[in-house]
Each structure stands twice: as C-alpha cells, then as structure tokens.
Amino acid sequence: MEELKPKSLNFLEEIVQEGIASGKYPQGILTRFPPEPNGYLHIGHAKSICLNFGLAQRFGGGTNLRFDDTNPVTEETEYVESIKKDVSWLGFSWANELYTSDYFEDLYQFAEKLITLSFAYVDDSTAAEIAAQKGTPTTPGTHSPFRNRSVEENLTLFRDMRAGKYADGEKVLRAKIDMAHPNMHMRDPLMYRIRHVKHHRSGDKWCIYPMYDFAHGQSDSIEEITHSICTLEFDVHRPLYDWFLDKLGIFPSHQYEFARLNLSHTVMSKRKLLQLVNEKVVNGWDDPRMPTISGLRRRGYTPASIRNFCERIGVAKRDNLIDLSLLEFCIREDLNKSADRVMAVLDPIKLVITNYPADKTEDLQIENNPEAEVITKRSVPFSNELYIERDDFMIDPPKKFFRLGVGLQVRLKGAYIVTCTDFKTDADGNVTEVHAEYIPESKSGQDTSGISVKGTIHWVSVSHAVEAEVRNFDRLLIVEDASELGDDFLKFINPESLQIVPKVYVEPGLKEAKVGQALQFIRKGYYSLDLDSTSDKLVFNRTVTLKDTWAKEKAK
C-alpha cells in the first residue's frame, strides 16, 4: 500500500481511508467492476475500471470482474471476451472472474424469501398497466389488483414462472414497498421477468431473469463487496439497493456514486454506438473513430495515456463534459517519450540532387527519439533522388519561408544542406520535380561548412521507399456536446472523421514495424501500424496530430 496523502484524496478515497482508520476493513476492501456484456467497453468504462481497481490497489484489497449477464436478449460471449481483453490491456488484474448468472439460484431463493415475508408478489398486469400504476413524480401510484395475493399463491405462481408455464410478459415478480413513495424506483419495482431466450452461459436452464436492481445489490452482498461504486444516475436506485439487503438480512454492501465521464465530440451511449456499427457509419466496434477501448487501442492510444487521462479528470460528484483535447494531450505526452521519429512523405514530389552521384547510396545514422532516456539510432538510406513533401517547395516563396524555393537552402533531416536550383512543371503548371545541389561538408553530425539554415525537412529515398496507406482520423462529431442530440445524432457525424491517403512513401525500416507500434511521422503526427497491414501493403492510423489543431479552429 502506498503512503497516503490526505490532501490529494478524492471523496471516495476519503471514505475508504476513514473506514480503514476505524478498523472496518481488516481484510482490506473489495470492489467490483460489473459490466453488462452487451457491447464493447468505451472510455467512460475506463474511468470506472481505473477507479475500482485503483482503490483496491491503493488501499489494499481486490477487485472482482463480474459480468452482469441478466438479459440474454442482448448479451454475447464475444462481448465477454472483449471486456476481459480491455481490462487486462489497461493494466489491471481481477481477483475473481464472476457472473451474475453464477448466482441465479441464490437470487431465486432470495426472491422466494421476500415472497414468504410478504415483500414480493406475482403480478399479471401488462407493462403498460404497470407503468400507469406507477403514477408520476408528483402524484402517488395505485396498487396493482394482484398486490394482495397470498404468500402461498405467490410462491406457486413464481415457481410456475420458473417452470416455464407462462409466456414472455404474462407475469412478473414485483417487490411490495410503497406506491406513494416519492422515489419512483420504490413504487413496487420489478424483480423478475419471463424471457424464453437462450442464455450465453446457462443455455435454456432458466426462463425467468432478475432485473438489474434486484440482482445488483444481492450479487454484491454474496461477494461481500465493501464498496459498490456506480455512476451518478444510480443515486436514485440506492434506497432500493439498501431496502433489498435490509429485508433479506444479508451482508450490507454499500453503494457510492460518482460522476460519469462525458467526452466531447463523441457519443457514449452503448445504444448509439451499436447503431453506428449496425448502420456501418463506422467499420466495427474497434473503428479508430469510436470511443471504445478497442477503438482507442487500434488508433494507437496506450494504456498509460488512458490511465493518466482518468487520473487527471479526477472523481467528482457532478456530471461535466471533458474536452477531447485533454485525452489527446495525454497520448501526446506519453508518445513524445516513447515513439520513434521516422520519415514518411504523405504528398510527395521528387527532389533530385544533381551533384550527388547517381550510383551512390549512403546509410545515414539518424536518432530514433531525442526525448528517450537512452538515445538510439537507426540506419536510413540516402541517394540522389528523394521524395519530399509537396508543401516543402514553393515557386514564389514569401520572405519567411524556411523551406525550398529557387535559391533557398534547407537541411535534409539527418543528412545534408541543399540549395534549390530549379524545378519542373507539367502542362498544367503543377510542380513535378525539384532540383538542388548538396554541400558535401554539411553532413549532419560532421558539418564543417559553417553554413546555418533555419529550416529542416524530412525525406525518403526514392529507390528505397516503401509504399503505404495512411488513415487520418479526427473527431467523430462536429458538435462538442452530444448529450442533447437524441436519435438524430447521425446528422452531426464529422465528414472528415476519416481521410484516407492511399499512396504515401515511408522509409524502408518500417517494413519491420509491429501492429500497434507507435511512431512519430516527423512533422506530421503520431501514427500506429494497423492490423489491416500485410507484407505487401502497410497501413498506418493517425493516433493524434502533433498539435491541438481544434484549438485553432475554435479560436477562429
């Protein structure tokens, strides 16, 4: 356990620390991360993961990974496996891998106990009738006509529900609390519904499934969870959570709420994310434009950058909108230290060095990352014909253009100073080739020329260049806050969220790059080798630009 620093504690850490100081948790605390396996995890879940696992790491204890698999209609094993992969990738290990379905028999017995205590009853009302019975926040509800069934009748009906004697929706089990309660969740909430659907783990064994509000607290209690941490929208569910535990007389787990993460320029609703996938607006759950953890991973985000982001935004009691720029800052900060600098030309024109021997190739030693703790170098071939960026040359350059134009000098990264002599154009006036002369005494690291230039540009040797595809990703939505958009949010998809550059040239060493490897394309941005890459074609995803370009857009 690390040394505690009270001034830096968030409100949940203060609660845990106070409990430990009072001797409440001699065996350590136990938290849980309970995702429903009905989709892929997103950056909002990352905050919850970091919080739950982080508390256990800091104060001593463990965290259970429990899959809330109580709705067989939407849950799949594919999602279970993706969730496990994401949690592990973020750098966390769970104490136990559990499933709410592990407790189906226990939960059923709890339900029978509440029936026996006259705290639950079987209701034949339709969903619409039950909704009408609830009343409104300002008017009390009305009792179901089935509310006063005897204990014996309720037990018989509930057992018949389990035995599969009724169709979906024909009956439900409800808690008997208070139909005039100011909290709508306490007005005889549903505990069980009938679903004749095959479950991803239990198969056809069950045809009745517990509702989240009934399964959640009891599962926490069975596992003896000390701190059940939920997002703020579950605040109004806490009285029901406590009511069930109190009436059953079981281990008193306690629920705490924190503000969920709302991130700008994207959607965080699983339903909307699923819509994006199903309507092929994006290319699957791991599309690098998605806020899913798998999408961020494929885009080139690192576990450390996401953990740092979650630490920076902190833990609050009120919802707020976090600007995507902070997440981008975190990945830049991380990759600045770890990503090798390499050369890639995205919009090429040819530079011919007329006084460099045409039959000569020189292997230059260029630093991989000047910010790394240990500086290493790589060998990059240099020849008389190079690709450079088209915007590194201008026919009529302005005064402070420190790149190439006739008569201007520039240093080629890790190589020589060259002086532009002339250029060629096609019939439409487009530049097709630039000519220059190099200064032999100006070689990087061995420069004795005495010449000082203000500009340095990157390049790739034509005869050694490797062709690649680049996918430049940007914000998913053109609007900052998607919370008020509703179902028409697709109208606000950023048309430039994906721009494919089909033919770029990269230095030959990138043929050895690994999928997911982070690289800085000098002067262009941070990129990562995509899993679509083959031995014949490399594909790179832009993780993030070198600077916050959206800050400039907002300032206009």
Side-chain angles (χ1 to χ4, degrees):
M1 187 189 308
E2 67 182 75
E3 182 183 352
L4 301 183
K5 299 177 181 179
K7 290 185 179 180
S8 66
L9 298 183
N10 61 54
F11 78 95
L12 288 173
E13 290 170 332
E14 289 175 350
I15 289 170
V16 174
Q17 187 186 45
E18 289 171 5
I20 290 174
S22 68
K24 197 173 182 180
Y25 312 112
Q27 305 302 317
I29 68 169
L30 185 60
T31 62
R32 86 289 173 269
F33 175 60
E36 182 179 0
N38 63 349
Y40 283 65
L41 299 183
H42 54 62
I43 187 68
H45 295 109
K47 178 180 178 181
S48 181
I49 292 168
C50 291
L51 178 56
N52 279 286
F53 283 87
L55 281 172
Q57 287 179 352
R58 179 164 192 180
F59 293 97
T63 302
N64 288 344
L65 175 60
R66 182 175 76 233
F67 293 94
D68 178 33
D69 55 346
T70 58
N71 186 2
V73 176
T74 59
E75 295 158 1
E76 298 179 16
T77 301
E78 172 195 349
Y79 298 137
V80 170
E81 295 305 316
S82 73
I83 290 168
K84 290 161 60 176
K85 180 179 180 179
D86 288 346
V87 175
S88 295
W89 178 77
L90 282 171
F92 298 108
S93 300
W94 47 90
N96 301 285
E97 179 183 326
L98 301 167
Y99 298 78
T100 301
S101 55
D102 293 335
Y103 311 133
F104 278 173
E105 184 61 43
D106 300 275
L107 294 170
Y108 176 84
Q109 294 302 326
F110 285 149
E112 283 212 354
K113 180 177 181 179
L114 290 174
I115 291 173
T116 302
L117 295 171
S118 295
F119 289 130
Y121 62 97
V122 174
D123 195 339
D124 299 0
S125 302
T126 65
E129 289 169 340
I130 291 174
Q133 292 165 12
K134 288 273 190 174
T136 71
T138 57
T139 59
T142 56
H143 288 174
S144 164
F146 306 99
R147 195 174 194 264
N148 293 320
R149 278 173 162 160
S150 68
V151 168
E152 292 73 19
E153 184 181 6
N154 281 317
L155 284 173
T156 298
L157 291 172
F158 189 49
R159 290 166 182 170
D160 286 346
M161 286 170 61
R162 175 177 181 169
K165 293 185 179 181
Y166 304 109
D168 289 7
E170 192 172 347
K171 296 182 187 298
V172 295
L173 183 70
R174 296 174 69 177
K176 187 187 292 187
I177 307 179
D178 181 0
M179 292 302 290
H181 200 286
N183 185 334
M184 298 284 286
H185 294 281
M186 300 294 284
R187 296 184 184 181
D188 289 14
L190 269 60
M191 294 169 55
Y192 271 86
R193 77 286 209 201
I194 301 170
R195 289 284 188 274
H196 289 276
V197 179
K198 190 171 184 177
H199 189 274
H200 75 106
R201 292 185 74 239
S202 59
D204 296 321
K205 182 178 179 181
W206 292 87
C207 64
I208 57 171
Y209 293 94
M211 303 297 292
Y212 171 84
D213 276 332
F214 181 65
H216 180 208
Q218 282 64 263
S219 297
D220 284 347
S221 179
I222 291 169
E223 296 171 23
E224 298 192 353
I225 299 298
T226 59
H227 297 79
S228 179
I229 300 168
C230 302
T231 46
L232 204 57
E233 66 265 31
F234 290 98
D235 172 74
V236 291
H237 296 249
R238 183 168 11 105
L240 181 56
Y241 180 103
D242 294 339
W243 186 89
F244 280 128
L245 296 183
D246 176 63
K247 298 306 179 188
L248 289 167
I250 55 180
F251 181 84
S253 293
H254 189 77
Q255 177 178 300
Y256 303 89
E257 303 85 22
F258 70 99
R260 65 183 299 166
L261 169 60
N262 296 302
L263 192 65
S264 73
H265 299 95
T266 192
V267 291
M268 304 286 276
S269 158
K270 273 190 182 179
R271 180 178 61 82
K272 291 179 179 177
L273 293 175
L274 181 61
Q275 184 179 348
L276 288 171
V277 173
N278 288 342
E279 296 187 20
K280 302 189 184 306
V281 177
V282 296
N283 300 312
W285 286 97
D286 67 345
D287 187 300
R289 290 168 290 180
M290 293 278 273
T292 55
I293 296 175
S294 57
L296 291 168
R297 178 168 60 243
R298 186 171 180 181
R299 185 160 171 170
Y301 276 78
T302 62
S305 68
I306 295 175
R307 293 196 303 267
N308 184 27
F309 170 71
C310 292
E311 179 69 23
R312 284 176 178 270
I313 61 177
V315 179
K317 295 183 180 181
R318 297 180 63 182
D319 288 335
N320 57 352
L321 183 69
I322 304 298
D323 198 296
L324 182 60
S325 295
L326 178 58
L327 179 60
E328 293 175 335
F329 170 84
C330 290
I331 187 60
R332 286 192 193 98
E333 185 178 53
D334 189 24
L335 295 184
N336 181 55
K337 302 171 186 175
S338 61
D340 285 348
R341 276 59 165 162
V342 297
M343 294 189 285
V345 179
L346 276 61
D347 185 13
I349 56 171
K350 186 183 290 187
L351 172 67
V352 179
I353 305 175
T354 56
N355 65 333
Y356 192 94
D359 59 352
K360 180 180 178 180
T361 297
E362 194 173 351
D363 288 326
L364 302 177
Q365 299 301 305
I366 300 179
E367 286 185 353
N368 286 319
N369 185 350
E371 301 295 329
E373 291 184 8
V374 179
I375 305 299
T376 59
K377 294 184 177 182
R378 69 189 184 285
S379 181
V380 182
F382 180 86
S383 64
N384 75 311
E385 291 190 347
L386 310 173
Y387 288 122
I388 63 171
E389 295 289 352
R390 184 171 298 276
D391 61 9
D392 280 339
F393 173 82
M394 289 185 69
I395 295 174
D396 186 20
K399 282 187 177 181
K400 292 188 177 181
F401 185 73
F402 301 125
R403 285 171 277 177
L404 285 176
V406 174
L408 296 183
Q409 292 183 323
V410 74
R411 177 173 291 282
L412 300 174
K413 175 69 177 177
Y416 299 92
I417 294 173
V418 295
T419 305
C420 182
T421 55
D422 60 10
F423 58 93
K424 291 182 179 180
T425 60
D426 59 19
D428 297 322
N430 299 311
V431 177
T432 58
E433 193 170 284
V434 178
H435 293 171
E437 294 181 352
Y438 88 115
I439 300 170
E441 300 80 19
S442 65
K443 186 175 182 179
S444 290
Q446 304 173 25
D447 191 347
T448 59
S449 68
I451 299 172
S452 177
V453 294
K454 292 186 177 180
T456 300
I457 65 172
H458 62 280
W459 51 271
V460 175
S461 171
V462 171
S463 58
H464 303 88
V466 174
E467 190 174 315
E469 176 184 297
V470 158
R471 299 170 182 173
N472 288 327
F473 295 98
D474 213 325
R475 285 155 165 72
L476 182 63
L477 300 179
I478 58 175
V479 294
E480 188 172 37
D481 188 354
S483 61
E484 304 297 327
L485 295 183
D487 292 335
D488 63 348
F489 74 100
L490 294 180
K491 295 191 300 185
F492 299 94
I493 296 292
N494 180 7
E496 297 181 354
S497 62
L498 169 60
Q499 294 182 312
I500 297 176
V501 186
K503 191 174 183 179
V504 306
Y505 294 106
V506 301
E507 59 182 73
L510 295 192
K511 288 189 293 185
E512 305 303 318
K514 305 297 183 183
V515 171
Q517 181 178 347
L519 301 161
Q520 186 196 105
F521 286 2
I522 294 172
R523 300 167 62 217
K524 293 298 178 182
Y526 291 102
Y527 286 80
S528 175
L529 188 67
D530 188 70
L531 54 82
D532 284 344
S533 296
T534 66
S535 57
D536 299 322
K537 183 179 181 182
L538 300 179
V539 178
F540 292 94
N541 297 327
R542 186 172 70 188
T543 305
V544 68
T545 55
L546 291 178
K547 296 181 179 179
D548 184 0
T549 55
W550 275 76
K552 295 180 181 179
E553 290 295 321
K554 288 189 289 186
K556 289 181 179 179

